[in-house]
Amino acid sequence: MLEMLMAGGFIMIPILLCSIIAFAIILERFWTLRHSKIVPQEVINDVLGKLKNKQLTTRYLKDLREKAPIGRLLSTGLLNAKHGREIMKESIEEEASHVVHDLEQFLTALGTVAAVAPLLGLLGTVIGMIEVFAEIQIAGAGNTQALAGGISKALITTAVGLTVAIPALVAHRYFQRRVDEIVVELEQRSLKLVEVVHGEREVTDEGTGSL
């Protein structure tokens, strides 16, 4: 394996860097975009319980922001509830734009890796083929074994580039879809909170089930 990578030449260095970046981002996003981390039900239940018992304080709402992304939206909405339904809704939507930005963190870099890695591989192949034709000009085309070896080495970079790009592209599409699903759920739960606060929806005795 090491010999194959060395045979690809210097262009293998940026391709390997791309693979490391993609792998790190994929691991980080899998850990960060967990449903239990972004929309923990216990946080929602706690907010509903406090709301039902009229125990919401400014200190509690500030602490709520640090617990989870859904906490940021609920806290922002509750802090602005006194200004009316529309202001409360607008404040949640504004905070949601910041939350979405955080959820999409590193996805642009992952998409860039998916696009750049095969191009780097192609560049390595082109450079390798140029070297092969240069060898033909010097030594002629009689040594077919040497030419075949040179061509195979040139194609290594394309193969490695695609090996990096394909999983990165699949992961990018998956995480983008995951973020979209999370955003829809955050919006739905936040809008239900607006309805609860303004008397359009009831909170159950257990403090659950409304959001």
Side-chain angles (χ1 to χ4, degrees):
M1 183 66 178
L2 181 60
E3 292 179 357
M4 184 183 72
L5 295 178
M6 292 179 63
F10 72 91
I11 203 70
M12 292 298 296
I13 296 175
I15 295 178
L16 290 177
L17 287 176
C18 284
S19 69
I20 294 172
I21 293 171
F23 183 69
I25 292 174
I26 290 171
L27 289 181
E28 191 275 340
R29 288 292 90 185
F30 265 122
W31 178 257
T32 300
L33 297 179
R34 291 173 295 150
H35 186 273
S36 60
K37 180 180 178 64
I38 298 173
V39 195
Q41 188 61 47
E42 60 270 18
V43 172
I44 297 172
N45 293 344
D46 187 45
V47 171
L48 290 174
K50 298 283 187 183
L51 181 61
K52 178 178 173 58
N53 297 320
K54 298 181 179 179
Q55 297 176 332
L56 293 174
T57 63
T58 303
R59 176 65 181 177
Y60 172 78
L61 294 178
K62 289 182 178 179
D63 291 340
L64 179 62
R65 290 183 60 85
E66 307 300 324
K67 292 183 178 180
I70 185 63
R72 291 173 58 181
L73 300 185
L74 300 181
S75 173
T76 299
L78 291 169
L79 284 170
N80 291 276
K82 60 185 177 182
H83 300 299
R85 189 182 194 281
E86 290 305 315
I87 297 298
M88 181 180 181
K89 183 178 177 182
E90 288 176 6
S91 66
I92 290 175
E93 291 173 348
E94 182 179 350
E95 184 65 29
S97 65
H98 298 292
V99 172
V100 172
H101 180 269
D102 292 341
L103 294 178
E104 292 180 338
Q105 190 176 20
F106 304 129
L107 292 189
T108 299
L110 185 60
T112 300
V113 168
V116 169
L119 295 179
L120 289 172
L122 180 59
L123 175 61
T125 296
V126 171
I127 293 174
M129 294 302 296
I130 291 174
E131 293 176 353
V132 168
F133 283 112
E135 182 66 24
I136 290 176
Q137 287 182 332
I138 296 173
N143 192 346
T144 56
Q145 185 176 358
L147 293 178
I151 293 172
S152 66
K153 290 180 180 180
L155 293 175
I156 286 174
T157 55
T158 293
V160 176
L162 291 174
T163 301
V164 173
I166 292 172
L169 178 60
V170 171
H172 180 266
R173 295 289 177 86
Y174 169 78
F175 289 131
Q176 195 65 62
R177 177 63 179 173
R178 180 76 180 129
V179 168
D180 292 341
E181 293 174 349
I182 290 171
V183 169
V184 170
E185 182 174 0
L186 290 174
E187 290 177 348
Q188 290 175 343
R189 290 180 179 268
S190 299
L191 290 177
K192 287 179 181 179
L193 174 69
V194 176
E195 296 172 357
V196 169
V197 170
H198 292 279
E200 301 168 8
R201 183 183 292 266
E202 295 297 327
V203 181
T204 63
D205 291 337
E206 294 80 7
T208 61
S210 293
L211 290 183

